[in-house]
């Protein structure tokens, strides 16, 4: 289990994340939601050690992530950020193979190749595995990076707004794959999302933030209701139920 | 800071500058028009002061124009290859024209300064990563290349020590008859003032400028033209004065903001004050000898630039 | 063509250029000329490999293909040390005559400079890496103008000695220094062998590299030190060849489209040997110029750099 304990991050005088404590339940999709500047991405960065917290700690299996050996941690937790500019020319397969680095240190074994094949298959990339990344569309590139994370074979997968710049079709495709990863392979996914309806339909738990503070943390049903959403977004958001999914209809809302 | 404080400081420093040097001159000496002291005063001290004032004001304005056009706080004749290009131009004229005349040197130097700056602006246009720090990094590297080309030719022609002594920024050799070229920068400064707002608009980009009905290319080229004129006259009369055009506009913008019309007078005066201080320090420290002004400017200027970088105004998170 | 085939072809080119340079038109007897030529070849191989290696790893950690490790002002530090030696001790002092001492002093000063810079300014959370480079560069400029000042004061005869010390030259290299340089290079390669695969991962960017278990910030620091040591070694051996690394590294990227550093570094090294040895052969025997190859390379490299900036703007991100 990942335990986030009293994390705080400041930039100069501005506190971006303030005293946030959350436990990530294994075997679930947990979404971080909240308005712009709520500190979701910063929180995720600290959990994944991309960023150092000013105070507080993150525990993985009761041990502070800073005490973990980098390489061991890379076999347990993976993180994918939204900006993935790469200066080198890589094929999809080469990128995905990098996911095996924590295990094989760059010298791939037969087992590693198998993991790469599986990940490519999972993301429907087998046919295009030898194409170069800079020839791909945004959605294809995003899928390639997710495939790398899958090949990394970690219990925890952290994703920072993976749906950014994707159209509806690809967004749904990716959320379904994440769902599959949790349901079939027992992984734990933590994801920062902008669109609350994706959070509502696909996640098990939601962590709602605002102005760097934790507003509420609970099951999807506990968060996706008009009262709680008003607290988070300062908007009146009616909820409609459709095929068992709660849809937030915020388009015509008045504050 | 009020404008009158700067004016008074300029006057006081000018006065000090007039009366410092290897030979002591007192005000009473000046009443005797035929004394050696009065002659030195007229032939050496006054031209020197005028040269400092013109160079200081000119280089700061040149920096200001470049910063407005590139919308980058750290672009200046030092960090865009302008000065190095002007230097290269002088060398080329010396190499390829036997018995080169002063006018020919001016033309070559000007043409190279203009071309060099223009190429840098082209580079800037094409770089997608317009980071405040990255751009001057590329600019200085670009300047180093132009310098290394200069060195290459100078080495071939055994002109190196010549060149480096000659282009050492210094007011020591300024006497009447050797600085008048600097007057050319006066109309350039006036034009810069008149076109100040347009430079700001052009800096916003071609589409933005066109939207406001400005001829982008004309304004951009006029700006580069002014920068090249000022840099050339300064390099040819005084030598390379680094960092001046970089730090002075930045200091002014810290206390006055970025409205170009408003800050031009401050920028000019502060440039003069800064150069006067550097020159006076250079004359006092190892009196009766002198440290070339570009050494004092480089030391003080780069120190200020380093402080600006470390305080991180340009890339505040 | 497969990369392996390309590498073999390049290797054959290396052999051809070394054979040509070693045996072509040997005058004054084989026993006399051949060993001398081989010493030069050894110097070119050692510097070529050191510079290629340093540039490729430096460009990986800065995620940029138009910067060279010399931007942080190591070359200026070399000029400072040599100028100080000539200024205070003179060309007849033990600091010039004893090659070991001179080499040791220069290399120590350069490495200490780099280490101090990294020690105080390498804080990835606070300063972006370009800021570190820009600051190094500004300090370099500062030192440079200080050095110019001293050089003007030096006696012209001494100055000639200093000039030849500062200008890169393979013809004057001392065989006994080659062993020391080779030793340093081997140690660097031993370390490089262990980080080769990590560098591959680091080319994916900071966040992806950390995700894959790389201790990114420490690796950047180590790599900066590694490339500084290599540049310092080659500079102390044959003087500063600023833009050479840029050419060979970019040739290697374009020739071998791969992310693998083992291939990229080997490729760049082979390119550099061909360029240096083959170039020296052309200069000495075909074109019969009196310039050294390194001066030409700096010149060509500089122009190539401007070309890169104007053409491949995508690289600058």
């Amino acid at each position: 289990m990942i335990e986030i304990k009293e994390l705080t991050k400041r930039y100069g005088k501005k506190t971006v994340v303030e005293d946030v404590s959350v436990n990530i339940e294994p075997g679930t999709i947990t979404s971080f939601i909240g308005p712009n500047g709520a500190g979701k991405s910063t929180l995720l960065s600290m959990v994944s050690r991309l960023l150092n917290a000013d105070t507080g700690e993150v525990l993985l299996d009761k041990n502070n992530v800073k005490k973990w050996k980098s390489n061991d941690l890379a076999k347990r937790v993976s993180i994918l950020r939204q900006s993935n500019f790469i200066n080198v020319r890589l094929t999809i397969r080469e990128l995905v193979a990098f996911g095996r680095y924590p295990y094989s240190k760059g010298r791939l074994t037969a087992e590693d190749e198998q993991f790469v094949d599986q990940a490519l298959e999972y993301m429907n990339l087998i046919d295009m595995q030898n194409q170069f990344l800079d020839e791909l569309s945004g959605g294809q590139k995003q899928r390639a990076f997710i495939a790398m994370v899958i090949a990394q074979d970690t219990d925890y997968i952290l994703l920072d707004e993976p749906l950014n710049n994707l159209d509806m079709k690809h967004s749904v495709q990716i959320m379904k794959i994440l769902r599959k990863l949790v349901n079939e392979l027992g992984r734990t996914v933590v994801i920062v999302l902008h669109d609350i309806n994706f959070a509502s339909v696909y996640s098990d738990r939601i962590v709602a933030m605002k102005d760097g503070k934790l507003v509420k943390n609970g099951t999807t049903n506990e968060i996706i209701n008009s009262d709680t959403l008003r607290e988070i977004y300062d908007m009146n958001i009616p909820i409609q139920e459709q095929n068992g999914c709660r849809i937030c209809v915020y388009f015509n809302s008045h504050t | 800071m009020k404008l009158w404080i700067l004016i008074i400081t300029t006057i006081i420093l000018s006065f000090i500058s007039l009366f410092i040097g290897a030979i002591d001159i007192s005000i009473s000496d000046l009443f005797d028009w035929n004394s050696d002291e009065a002659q030195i005063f007229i032939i050496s001290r006054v031209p020197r002061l005028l040269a400092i004032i013109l160079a200081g004001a000119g280089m700061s304005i040149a920096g200001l124009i470049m910063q407005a056009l590139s919308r980058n706080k750290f672009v200046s004749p030092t960090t865009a290859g302008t000065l190095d290009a002007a230097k290269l131009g002088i060398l080329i004229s010396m190499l390829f024209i036997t018995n080169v005349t002063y006018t020919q040197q001016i033309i070559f130097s000007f043409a190279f300064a203009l071309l060099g700056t223009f190429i840098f602006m082209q580079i800037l246009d094409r770089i997608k990563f317009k980071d405040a720090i990255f751009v001057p990094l590329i600019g200085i590297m670009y300047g180093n290349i132009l310098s290394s080309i200069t060195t290459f030719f100078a080495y071939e022609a055994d002109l190196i020590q010549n060149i480096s002594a000659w282009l050492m920024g210094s007011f020591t050799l300024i006497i009447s008859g050797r600085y008048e070229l600097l007057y050319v920068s006066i109309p350039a400064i006036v034009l810069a003032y008149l076109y100040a707002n347009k430079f700001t608009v052009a800096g916003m980009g071609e589409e933005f400028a066109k939207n406001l009905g400005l001829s982008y290319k004309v304004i951009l080229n006029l700006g580069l033209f002014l920068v090249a004129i000022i840099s050339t006259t300064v390099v040819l009369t005084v030598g390379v004065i680094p960092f001046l055009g970089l730090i002075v506009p930045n200091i002014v913008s810290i206390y006055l903001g970025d409205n170009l019309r408003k800050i031009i007078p401050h920028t000019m005066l502060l440039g003069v004050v800064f150069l006067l201080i550097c020159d006076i320090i250079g004359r006092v420290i190892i009196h009766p000898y002198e440290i070339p002004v570009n050494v004092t400017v480089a030391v003080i200027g780069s120190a200020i630039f380093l402080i600006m970088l470390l305080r991180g105004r340009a890339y505040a998170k | 063509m497969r990369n392996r085939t390309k590498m073999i072809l390049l290797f054959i080119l290396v052999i051809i250029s070394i054979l040509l340079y070693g045996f072509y038109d040997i005058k004054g007897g084989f026993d006399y000329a051949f060993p001398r030529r081989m010493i030069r070849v050894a110097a070119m191989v050692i510097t070529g490999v050191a510079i290629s290696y340093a540039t490729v790893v430096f460009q990986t950690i800065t995620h940029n293909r138009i910067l060279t490790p010399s931007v942080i002002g190591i070359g200026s530090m070399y000029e400072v040390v040599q100028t100080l030696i000539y200024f205070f001790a003179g060309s007849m002092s033990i600091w010039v005559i004893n090659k070991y001492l001179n080499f040791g002093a220069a290399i120590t000063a350069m490495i200490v400079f780099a280490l101090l810079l990294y020690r105080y300014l390498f804080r990835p959370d606070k300063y972006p890496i370009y800021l570190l480079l820009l600051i190094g560069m500004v300090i370099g400029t500062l030192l440079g103008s200080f050095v110019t000042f001293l050089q003007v004061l030096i006696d012209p005869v001494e100055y000639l000695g200093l000039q030849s010390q500062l200008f890169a030259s393979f013809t004057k290299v001392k065989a006994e220094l080659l062993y020391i340089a080779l030793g340093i290079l081997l140690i660097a390669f031993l370390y490089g062998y262990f980080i080769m695969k990590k560098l591959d991962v680091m080319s994916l960017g900071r966040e992806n590299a950390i995700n894959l278990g790389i201790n990114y910030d420490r690796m950047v620091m180590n790599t900066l030190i590694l490339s500084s040591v290599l540049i310092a070694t080659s500079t102390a051996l044959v003087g500063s060849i600023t833009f050479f690394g840029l050419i060979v590294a970019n040739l290697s990227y374009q020739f071998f489209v791969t992310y693998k550093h083992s291939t990229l570094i080997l490729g760049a090294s082979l390119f550099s040997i061909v360029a240096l040895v083959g170039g020296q052969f052309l200069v000495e025997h075909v074109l019969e110029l009196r310039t050294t190859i390194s001066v030409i390379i700096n010149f060509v490299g500089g122009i190539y750099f401007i070309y890169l900036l104007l053409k491949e703007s995508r690289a600058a991100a």
Side-chain angles (χ1 to χ4, degrees):
Chain A
M1 186 160 79
I2 291 183
E3 298 163 70
I4 301 169
K5 291 201 161 161
E6 295 159 12
L7 279 191
T8 297
K9 181 75 191 174
R10 290 185 197 87
Y11 288 123
K13 282 176 185 160
K14 192 169 161 21
T15 306
V16 194
V17 171
E18 192 176 349
D19 195 23
V20 172
S21 301
V22 177
N23 289 347
I24 305 292
E25 299 286 330
T28 61
I29 292 185
T30 303
S31 297
F32 288 5
I33 64 165
N36 289 342
K40 303 160 292 198
S41 293
T42 310
L43 181 63
L44 197 73
S45 294
M46 289 190 287
V47 174
S48 59
R49 84 211 132 134
L50 291 181
L51 202 65
N52 282 328
D54 291 333
T55 53
E57 55 183 4
V58 178
L59 305 182
L60 170 66
D61 297 345
K62 308 286 175 200
N63 288 314
N64 191 328
V65 287
K66 284 187 190 163
K67 301 251 165 64
W68 278 74
K69 275 173 123 176
S70 273
N71 199 58
D72 293 340
L73 195 62
K75 294 178 188 168
R76 299 292 311 281
V77 181
S78 56
I79 167 88
L80 189 61
R81 289 293 303 268
Q82 32 186 324
S83 61
N84 278 300
F85 177 85
I86 290 187
N87 213 352
V88 282
R89 247 168 95 82
L90 290 177
T91 65
I92 294 183
R93 191 180 178 87
E94 284 169 341
L95 177 75
V96 176
F98 269 115
R100 299 306 296 167
Y101 180 83
Y103 303 89
S104 59
K105 303 291 178 202
R107 290 175 184 80
L108 295 188
T109 63
E111 194 198 0
D112 291 321
E113 300 283 359
Q114 217 173 339
F115 269 102
V116 173
D117 284 331
Q118 279 169 8
L120 286 168
E121 206 162 331
Y122 224 85
M123 296 308 294
N124 270 324
L125 291 167
I126 290 283
D127 295 339
M128 48 199 302
Q129 56 175 311
N130 291 322
Q131 285 188 31
F132 283 99
L133 284 181
D134 51 5
E135 294 161 357
L136 304 181
S137 71
Q140 293 167 326
K141 215 186 262 182
Q142 190 69 278
R143 271 156 61 204
F145 275 99
I146 294 177
M148 176 183 92
V149 167
I150 294 175
Q152 203 178 332
D153 190 32
T154 54
D155 302 332
Y156 295 89
I157 298 174
L158 316 182
L159 302 155
D160 188 3
E161 300 203 27
L163 307 184
N164 245 9
N165 304 320
L166 294 191
D167 57 22
M168 289 178 284
K169 182 182 157 200
H170 288 110
S171 300
V172 169
Q173 206 178 19
I174 282 178
M175 290 310 292
K176 280 187 173 159
I177 289 166
L178 295 179
R179 202 59 255 180
K180 243 168 72 181
L181 283 173
V182 173
N183 294 352
E184 293 175 4
L185 304 178
R187 307 289 172 78
T188 308
V189 171
V190 182
I191 183 168
V192 173
L193 284 175
H194 227 89
D195 187 329
I196 41 174
N197 284 326
F198 276 109
S200 166
V201 173
Y202 290 100
S203 45
D204 304 298
R205 300 187 61 85
I206 291 181
V207 173
M209 293 180 68
K210 184 182 171 183
D211 297 333
K213 296 189 190 88
L214 183 73
V215 179
K216 205 164 176 184
N217 160 25
T219 61
T220 304
N221 285 351
E222 284 167 352
I223 307 289
I224 303 295
N225 56 67
S226 291
D227 291 340
T228 312
L229 290 177
R230 187 178 304 111
E231 209 181 320
I232 307 167
Y233 291 101
D234 296 321
M235 282 169 85
N236 189 23
I237 302 178
I239 308 287
Q240 283 185 1
E241 204 147 323
Q242 208 155 23
N243 304 334
C245 299
R246 294 186 183 191
I247 306 296
C248 311
V249 189
Y250 47 77
F251 302 100
N252 231 344
S253 100
H254 39 87
T255 41
Chain B
M1 208 185 315
K2 290 281 191 308
L3 197 56
W4 60 265
I5 299 182
L6 272 178
I7 295 175
I8 291 176
T9 318
T10 310
I11 293 172
I12 295 174
L13 287 171
S14 305
F15 205 69
I16 297 175
S17 166
L18 285 175
F19 291 96
I20 281 186
I23 294 160
D24 284 319
I25 298 176
S26 63
I27 300 179
S28 57
D29 292 328
L30 298 181
F31 292 113
D32 179 6
W33 203 240
N34 295 318
S35 68
D36 287 348
E37 283 82 2
Q39 285 303 312
I40 290 172
F41 192 78
I42 297 298
I43 295 172
S44 160
R45 298 286 166 84
V46 173
R48 182 176 191 143
L49 177 64
L50 289 173
I52 293 172
I53 289 175
L54 289 173
M59 287 312 288
S60 335
I61 295 296
L64 192 63
I65 296 175
M66 292 180 81
Q67 283 147 32
L69 287 177
S70 63
R71 271 208 297 168
N72 186 311
K73 287 269 177 213
F74 293 151
V75 171
S76 73
T78 319
T79 48
T82 312
L83 297 178
D84 302 287
K87 243 164 75 171
L88 178 60
I90 300 174
L91 183 85
I92 298 281
S93 73
M94 287 163 77
L95 277 184
F96 290 104
I97 306 174
T98 38
N99 297 325
V100 64
T101 64
Y102 197 46
T103 324
Q104 284 169 328
Q105 281 192 354
I106 295 169
I107 294 169
F108 266 82
S109 172
F110 170 73
F112 272 79
L114 190 61
L115 187 68
T117 317
F118 185 76
I119 290 179
F120 183 73
M121 292 308 247
Q122 287 296 311
I123 292 170
L124 203 58
D125 215 32
R126 287 163 206 231
I127 291 177
K128 291 208 179 85
F129 187 60
K130 290 188 175 56
D131 181 80
I133 301 294
F134 184 67
V135 168
L137 192 62
I138 291 301
I140 298 181
M141 226 169 125
Y142 171 69
N144 288 349
I145 286 162
L146 297 179
S147 280
S148 81
I149 297 175
T150 310
T151 317
F152 168 71
F153 284 122
Y155 188 67
E156 281 294 281
D158 277 334
L159 280 172
I160 290 205
Q161 197 169 15
N162 230 333
I163 284 273
S164 54
W166 192 62
L167 289 178
M168 189 100 205
S170 168
F171 293 107
T172 320
L173 297 176
I174 295 285
I175 49 170
S176 65
R178 286 209 50 171
Y179 77 103
E180 283 77 2
L181 179 65
L182 276 173
Y183 288 129
V184 175
S185 59
I186 294 178
I189 294 172
V190 173
L191 270 178
Y193 185 71
L194 294 177
Y195 276 81
N197 290 329
K198 292 182 179 165
F199 292 140
T200 315
V201 175
M204 302 284 184
E206 183 157 10
E207 283 168 26
F208 189 88
K210 278 202 179 131
N211 185 36
L212 290 179
L214 277 179
S215 169
Y216 173 76
K217 290 241 156 59
V218 172
I219 301 291
L220 184 70
N221 291 335
L222 176 73
L224 297 183
F225 186 79
L226 296 180
V227 167
I229 284 192
I230 295 173
S231 305
T232 307
T233 54
V234 171
V235 168
L236 269 172
T237 46
V238 185
V240 172
I241 302 178
F243 292 111
L244 189 64
L246 180 63
I247 56 166
V248 169
N250 272 291
I251 296 172
V252 174
S253 107
I254 288 173
Y255 71 81
L256 257 191
D258 286 328
N259 182 339
L260 222 52
R261 265 286 173 82
K262 203 165 90 186
I263 61 181
I264 280 186
H266 286 260
T267 308
M268 274 167 32
L269 283 172
L270 193 65
V272 174
V273 166
F274 184 80
L275 201 54
L276 274 170
I277 292 175
C278 289
D279 188 54
I280 290 171
I281 291 176
R283 282 199 265 174
V284 171
I285 278 188
I286 50 169
H287 185 87
Y289 304 103
E290 284 190 19
I291 301 175
V293 73
N294 78 333
V295 174
T296 43
V297 171
V299 172
I300 299 173
S302 53
I304 293 176
F305 186 38
L306 286 177
I307 292 169
M308 281 187 327
L309 287 175
L310 288 171
R311 280 183 61 205
R313 260 175 50 84
Y315 60 94
K317 275 192 183 170
Chain C
M1 228 188 322
R2 303 267 310 266
N3 275 350
R4 184 179 295 268
T5 326
K6 290 181 188 173
M7 199 65 86
I8 292 171
L9 279 178
L10 204 50
F11 198 74
I12 294 173
L13 264 181
V14 166
I15 304 288
I16 292 175
S17 40
I18 291 180
L19 289 180
L20 262 180
Y21 185 71
F23 292 104
Y24 183 83
D25 190 25
I26 283 202
K27 290 175 212 148
F30 184 85
D31 290 343
Y32 174 81
F34 188 72
R36 273 166 182 72
R37 290 189 182 181
M38 281 303 117
I39 286 175
R40 288 184 203 172
V41 168
M44 287 187 252
V45 170
I46 289 174
T47 25
V49 172
I51 291 176
S52 314
Y53 189 4
T55 309
V56 172
V57 298
F58 183 82
Q59 294 189 336
T60 295
I61 55 167
T62 53
H63 300 291
N64 201 300
R65 292 183 168 182
I66 50 179
L67 291 175
T68 78
S70 50
V71 295
I72 62 157
I74 293 181
S76 317
M77 203 59 212
Y78 178 70
E79 293 188 13
V80 168
V81 176
Q82 297 299 351
T83 308
L84 286 179
I85 286 176
Y86 274 76
F87 189 78
F88 288 109
S91 57
M92 286 302 135
S93 71
I94 184 154
W95 291 94
V96 177
I97 291 167
N98 186 330
K99 295 295 161 196
Y100 293 110
L101 203 57
N102 187 288
F103 185 81
I107 211 169
T108 312
M110 286 185 273
I111 292 171
V112 166
F113 172 76
L115 286 181
L116 282 178
L117 196 68
Y118 303 147
R119 166 80 180 72
Y120 288 103
L121 289 173
F122 185 75
R123 305 213 191 116
D125 50 328
K126 210 172 161 195
Y127 308 129
I129 191 158
Y130 291 140
L131 186 70
L132 167 76
L133 304 180
L134 184 60
I135 288 174
M137 204 173 209
V138 172
I139 296 175
T141 315
L142 173 58
L143 295 176
S145 65
F146 175 65
V147 163
T148 325
F149 169 57
L150 289 186
Q151 286 176 358
V152 173
L153 299 183
I154 287 179
D155 172 69
V157 180
E158 294 267 292
Y159 183 80
L160 283 180
L162 176 60
Q163 262 320 308
S164 77
Q165 189 89 16
L166 292 183
F167 262 91
S169 169
F170 293 102
T171 44
K172 283 172 288 183
V173 77
K174 294 284 174 293
E176 57 267 37
L177 295 181
L178 285 177
Y179 294 111
I180 305 177
L182 190 63
I184 297 174
L185 198 61
L186 286 179
I187 294 170
F189 264 80
L190 200 64
Y191 175 68
Y193 178 77
F194 291 108
I195 62 165
M196 212 59 96
K197 298 279 176 186
K198 285 189 180 175
L199 286 169
D200 294 348
V201 181
M202 285 171 76
S203 55
L204 296 181
R206 176 172 188 271
E207 291 169 347
N208 288 315
I210 294 179
N211 169 45
L212 294 172
I214 301 286
N215 201 330
Y216 188 82
D217 294 337
R218 200 169 69 203
M219 277 299 299
V220 170
M221 178 76 160
N222 292 352
T223 313
L224 278 175
I225 294 174
L226 173 70
S227 65
S228 304
V229 169
L230 289 168
I231 289 293
T233 309
S234 90
T235 310
L237 200 60
V238 296
S240 168
I241 321 180
T242 321
F243 302 106
F244 181 53
L246 211 62
I247 313 180
V248 288
N250 277 287
L251 279 176
S252 184
Y253 300 140
Q254 286 184 353
F255 199 57
F256 307 99
V257 180
T258 179
Y259 63 91
K260 291 199 177 83
H261 281 77
S262 45
T263 309
L264 291 175
I265 292 173
L266 182 60
S269 303
L270 294 181
F271 269 122
S272 71
I273 297 172
V274 173
L276 288 176
V277 181
Q280 185 74 34
F281 171 73
L282 286 178
V283 167
E284 275 184 36
H285 299 295
V286 182
L287 305 171
E288 295 181 348
L289 295 176
R290 58 187 202 103
T291 9
T292 60
I293 177 71
S294 35
V295 178
I296 293 178
I297 278 174
N298 235 357
F299 178 67
V300 176
I303 289 170
Y304 182 68
F305 172 76
I306 295 174
Y307 165 78
L308 272 185
L309 279 180
L310 283 171
K311 183 181 151 273
E312 211 173 327
S313 46
R314 252 171 295 128

